[in-house]
């Protein structure tokens, strides 16, 4: 089980981000309740995970079978049901002073403690990752209630980042960029992918990350599989190597990809890299408020298709990022959500030639009032490593 990252820590001597204040959480909870009402929900039910961290700053040290659930209902004070033994921890969360706590003791029925906070025929948006046993417990206790997942019901809940969140995402991106600069200096040829992946993980930690979520090292033919992580393959002279890595710094995510070449890449890799670079740039330049998410995907795809590689770009062009490294909004065909200043997401076109090599370039970007800003700024020129 991955522990949620520490969230509301203070500014330290290295000028790390200021902590979120209780008013930040109060505002988020108000907005969630209002949005729920506007979408016809009776409220929002949030169990431990990124949504609870977002709304209250509370991340239980261990997520167990004991029910913890935040109930946000329009016109009623935010209330969180917690196990009695965890109440002292919950009280320490920054957002806790804006929340009424209701505790339940081992042996009691936690769903009976939750029921008075719900309406018997209510329709609720509930955390995607709420345990089935908890949802079943609520349904058993209140058979007239209905539920949809929070991501289906309110996908944009965490999508628009406030300035403090943007600061954290910016420093996470800078940390990932610094890790990339340093990985260029390590030996690639004659080492296994997993060894370079371990170097990348160490560099992310060195550059402020508390958690490493993925370190993709896809060399040669492995680069043509976008889901390849890192394996035993020995990296060889002439390989193109896809490096896709990220994790959490101060609770917020990084995710960047560069494709490097071990020695001279040859004409074809250079050509494909240039096409992917142009696709990434075109999509970036298209970002501005009001543009539909699917348009960002289309712009990148058009460049790759016109260059003759459309069949080899086999995934959506991007995903949102924040407290997690994959979240709405998704830059994908069919997503008509319009971009709003403060949204943060990846632009990561790629070309994958089965059995041969792959190229991907990925930056996190944020929507500004008049365009976009990159949170990754390492060079897009293909770097040659040893
Ligand atoms: Zn990535
Ligand atoms: Zn990504
Ligand atoms: Zn990804």
């Amino acid at each position: 089980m991955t522990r949620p990252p520490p969230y509301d820590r203070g500014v330290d001597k290295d000028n790390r981000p200021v902590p979120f204040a209780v008013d930040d959480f109060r505002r988020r909870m108000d907005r969630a309740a209002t949005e729920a009402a506007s979408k016809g929900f009776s409220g929002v039910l949030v169990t431990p995970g990124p949504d609870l961290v977002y709304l209250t700053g509370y991340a239980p040290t261990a997520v167990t079978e004991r029910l913890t659930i935040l109930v946000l209902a329009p016109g009623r004070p935010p209330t969180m049901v917690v196990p009695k033994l965890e109440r002292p921890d919950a009280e320490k969360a920054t957002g806790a002073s804006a929340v009424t706590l209701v505790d339940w003791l081992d042996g009691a029925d936690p769903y009976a403690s939750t029921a008075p906070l719900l309406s018997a025929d209510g329709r609720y948006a509930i955390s995607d990752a709420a345990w089935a046993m908890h949802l079943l417990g609520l349904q058993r206790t209140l058979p007239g209630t209905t539920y949809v997942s929070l991501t289906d019901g309110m996908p944009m809940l965490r999508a628009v980042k406030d300035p403090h969140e943007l600061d954290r995402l910016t420093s996470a991106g800078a940390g990932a960029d610094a890790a990339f600069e340093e990985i260029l200096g390590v030996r690639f040829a004659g080492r296994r992918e997993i060894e370079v992946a371990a170097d990348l993980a160490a560099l992310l930690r060195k550059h402020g990350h508390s958690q490493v979520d993925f370190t993709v090292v896809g060399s040669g033919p492995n680069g043509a599989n976008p889901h390849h992580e890192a394996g035993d393959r020995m990296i060889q002279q002439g390989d193109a190597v896809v490096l896709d890595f990220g994790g959490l710094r101060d609770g917020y995510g990084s995710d960047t990809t560069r494709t490097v070449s071990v020695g001279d890449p040859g004409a074809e890799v250079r050509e494909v890299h240039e096409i992917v670079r142009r696709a990434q740039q075109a999509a970036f330049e298209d970002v501005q408020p009001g543009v539909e998410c699917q348009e960002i995907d289309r712009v990148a795809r058009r460049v790759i298709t016109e260059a003759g590689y459309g069949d080899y770009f086999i995934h959506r062009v991007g995903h949102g990022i924040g407290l997690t490294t994959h979240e709405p909004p998704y830059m994908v065909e069919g997503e008509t959500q319009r971009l709003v200043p403060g949204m943060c997401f990846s632009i990561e076109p790629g070309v994958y030639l089965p059995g041969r090599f792959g190229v991907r370039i990925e930056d996190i970007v944020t929507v500004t009032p008049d365009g976009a800003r990159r949170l990754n700024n390492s060079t897009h020129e293909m770097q040659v490593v040893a």
Side-chain angles (χ1 to χ4, degrees):
M1 180 171 47
T2 0
R3 263 190 64 173
Y7 191 69
D8 23 48
R9 71 167 83 129
V11 182
D12 64 17
K13 60 187 186 324
D14 301 317
N15 199 24
R16 302 279 279 278
V18 296
F20 291 108
V22 63
D23 279 344
D24 293 314
F25 297 111
R26 194 174 278 126
R27 226 176 356 253
R28 291 172 185 178
M29 288 190 285
D30 280 353
R31 185 165 52 73
T34 305
E35 188 184 334
S38 77
K39 297 198 159 163
F41 294 112
S42 317
V44 185
L45 308 180
V46 186
T47 58
D51 292 314
L52 190 63
V53 169
Y54 180 76
L55 292 165
T56 66
Y58 181 47
T61 32
V63 179
T64 70
E65 76 290 352
R66 291 187 174 105
L67 178 70
T68 294
I69 194 165
L70 172 71
V71 180
L72 301 178
R76 301 176 72 166
T79 304
M80 187 160 62
V81 177
V82 297
K84 184 153 185 99
L85 80 167
E86 292 174 12
R87 183 177 181 126
D89 280 348
E91 283 172 345
K92 282 186 220 140
T94 304
S97 52
V99 176
T100 303
L101 294 179
V102 172
D103 58 44
W104 62 277
L105 199 54
D106 281 351
D109 178 355
Y111 312 110
S113 304
T114 310
L117 305 170
L118 307 183
S119 43
D121 57 354
R123 178 171 171 263
Y124 291 92
I126 186 168
S127 296
D128 293 13
W131 287 22
M133 64 178 281
H134 296 320
L135 179 54
L136 291 168
L138 291 172
Q139 287 176 322
R140 191 174 59 237
T141 307
L142 294 170
T145 50
T146 53
Y147 303 85
V148 301
S149 86
L150 200 43
T151 291
D152 281 344
M154 297 167 54
M156 297 303 144
L157 178 64
R158 293 190 276 120
V160 177
K161 273 62 184 179
D162 69 30
H164 288 182
E165 294 186 283
L166 283 173
D167 285 347
R168 286 162 168 79
L169 285 159
T170 301
S171 62
D177 288 350
F180 176 70
E181 294 302 321
E182 284 194 45
I183 202 71
L184 294 175
V186 314
R187 181 90 193 155
F188 279 67
R191 293 174 75 216
R192 295 182 192 285
E193 291 174 346
I194 47 172
E195 297 175 73
V196 175
D199 290 345
L200 266 176
L203 287 170
L204 283 171
R205 290 185 196 281
K206 174 180 169 187
H207 293 289
H209 285 66
S210 58
Q211 182 178 313
V212 176
D213 288 339
F214 47 90
T215 50
V216 171
V217 179
S219 67
N222 288 342
N225 171 4
H227 268 169
H228 176 77
E229 263 269 335
D232 282 335
R233 184 177 182 277
M234 196 76 83
I235 302 172
Q236 296 164 21
Q237 272 301 322
D239 280 351
V241 185
V242 177
L243 303 171
D244 182 351
F245 50 96
L248 298 179
R249 176 175 179 170
D250 294 311
Y252 279 76
S254 69
D255 183 5
T256 185
T257 308
R258 293 292 183 268
T259 303
V260 300
S261 172
V262 187
D264 181 14
E268 191 184 11
V269 171
R270 275 193 196 286
E271 184 199 332
V272 170
H273 190 277
E274 177 59 14
I275 292 162
V276 172
R277 189 197 65 73
R278 283 196 291 114
Q280 211 282 343
Q281 182 65 25
F284 171 72
E285 288 172 6
D286 202 54
V287 175
Q288 59 172 311
V291 170
E292 291 181 355
C293 290
Q294 64 180 357
E295 180 64 15
I296 306 306
D297 183 272
R298 286 176 183 171
V299 167
R301 201 164 299 279
R302 197 172 303 136
V303 172
I304 291 173
T305 302
E306 282 171 5
Y309 288 93
D311 289 345
Y312 304 102
F313 176 19
I314 51 179
H315 56 72
R316 67 183 176 218
V317 84
H319 56 82
I321 188 167
L323 288 165
T324 65
T325 47
H326 278 194
E327 61 186 42
Y330 294 101
M331 304 300 123
V332 64
E333 183 63 37
E335 178 53 84
T336 56
Q337 169 69 40
R338 291 182 188 279
L339 296 178
V340 174
M343 283 181 173
C344 286
F345 54 88
S346 69
I347 300 178
E348 49 181 306
V351 167
Y352 309 95
L353 300 177
R356 304 191 51 223
F357 67 90
V359 173
R360 182 166 64 256
I361 299 175
E362 174 180 21
D363 288 333
I364 302 302
V365 307
T366 184
V367 185
T368 63
D370 54 3
R373 174 167 69 87
R374 292 184 198 274
L375 306 190
N376 293 110
N377 293 285
S378 51
T379 179
H380 285 189
E381 295 302 315
M382 190 166 45
Q383 299 297 293
V384 173
V385 297

